[in-house]
Amino acid sequence: MSRDRLKKSIRIVIPLAFWLGVWQLAALWVDLELLLPAPLTVWDSLRALAVTQTFWLSALFTLLRVALGLLGGSLLGVLLAFLTHFSNWASLLLAPAIRVVRATPVVSFILLVYLWVARANIPGVIAGLMVLPVMWGSVSGGLSAVDGQLLELARAYRFSPWKTLRLIYLPSLRPHFTAGFLTAFGLAWKSGVAAEVLCPPRLAIGARIQQARLALETADLFAWTLVILALSLALEALLRRALKRWGAGV
């Protein structure tokens, strides 16, 4: 193992061991598994859940809902950013509405959407709503930051709109899009699972969390929370790597 990898492993293992120790001591001090199960109890619960079909289907459907919401909200946010940037009327009419969406608490949207949308579709819709203003703000900022001299050069050489977009706008927008998309992913994941908890579909991580809460299965509640955390960290790492390669033009 190289020295850099060793240092990286130490930076991961030591904090993990420290917080597991804190958790274990807190569980011993509370001495009531209903309130705070020990790490080994949660691990046993996680292993028991992982051998069931419901576990994998719930994780899969949650991932699909969040992914659809993330992609749909991102696409709509990018399109609205271009529309409000190049049209004063669109900016006048749409920008205030997007800011209202950004300022409204996610719980309010969940309860409102519950009146209009099928329960299974609520998490994806909520994730998309939370993503939209983030992507709109990031891409709008990138459009405003495009070098005016490059645009003048494009006009002087009579670039087509597509060529201007490909050679000038897209390279300038890349870092803004990347930063916005990573932020949007975190919001989509948390808001999507929150929607599943409040409006539980049949197969969903949020539904399993709600079920564990109602049954007072605290170890299962902790186990599903660890699943959410592990999936979030793993997907974010993969997303960062993919966006880094894309940003580098690989």
Side-chain angles (χ1 to χ4, degrees):
M1 181 181 292
S2 67
R3 190 166 184 174
D4 289 340
R5 285 190 176 181
L6 180 61
K7 287 182 179 179
K8 189 175 181 179
S9 299
I10 290 174
R11 291 174 66 88
I12 295 173
V13 170
I14 290 179
L16 181 62
F18 172 79
W19 288 111
L20 283 174
V22 171
W23 181 1
Q24 179 65 46
L25 290 174
L28 290 173
W29 182 70
V30 172
D31 196 24
L32 184 61
E33 287 196 349
L34 181 63
L35 295 179
L36 184 61
L40 284 178
T41 303
V42 174
W43 175 249
D44 289 339
S45 178
L46 181 60
R47 287 196 304 169
L49 291 171
V51 298
T52 64
Q53 186 182 40
T54 302
F55 175 89
W56 296 103
L57 289 177
S58 297
L60 176 62
F61 277 94
T62 292
L63 287 172
L64 288 175
R65 293 186 189 101
V66 171
L68 289 174
L70 176 63
L71 294 176
S74 297
L75 179 61
L76 190 55
V78 170
L79 291 176
L80 288 176
F82 274 88
L83 187 60
T84 54
H85 179 77
F86 290 106
S87 170
N88 291 331
W89 278 106
S91 179
L92 180 66
L93 295 174
L94 298 177
I98 297 172
R99 293 190 179 98
V100 168
V101 172
R102 181 166 54 190
T104 303
V106 63
V107 174
S108 299
F109 271 125
I110 293 171
L111 297 177
L112 286 172
V113 171
Y114 185 69
L115 300 174
W116 308 318
V117 178
R119 182 181 295 184
N121 298 328
I122 292 174
V125 173
I126 293 299
L129 279 173
M130 295 301 102
V131 164
L132 189 155
V134 173
M135 294 304 298
W136 173 79
S138 295
V139 176
S140 293
L143 288 169
S144 299
V146 172
D147 192 339
Q149 292 183 341
L150 291 178
L151 294 175
E152 287 290 341
L153 186 65
R155 282 190 287 269
Y157 281 93
R158 297 182 180 179
F159 281 9
S160 66
W162 167 246
K163 192 173 183 179
T164 303
L165 174 67
R166 183 170 57 87
L167 297 180
I168 296 178
Y169 279 106
L170 291 184
S172 299
L173 288 175
R174 189 173 289 176
H176 297 271
F177 178 87
T178 299
F181 197 70
L182 286 172
T183 303
F185 166 76
L187 283 174
W189 184 249
K190 288 184 285 188
S191 61
V193 173
E196 289 182 343
V197 172
L198 292 178
C199 308
R202 191 173 67 87
L203 289 171
I205 290 177
R208 303 283 78 77
I209 289 175
Q210 182 72 294
Q211 186 179 52
R213 184 187 70 84
L214 293 174
L216 298 179
E217 296 286 351
T218 312
D220 285 359
L221 182 61
F222 271 72
W224 280 112
T225 303
L226 288 178
V227 170
I228 293 171
L229 179 62
L231 285 174
S232 178
L233 292 175
L235 291 173
E236 185 177 355
L238 290 173
L239 190 59
R240 284 184 180 277
R241 186 171 183 178
L243 290 173
K244 186 177 180 180
R245 289 171 64 88
W246 176 63
V250 177

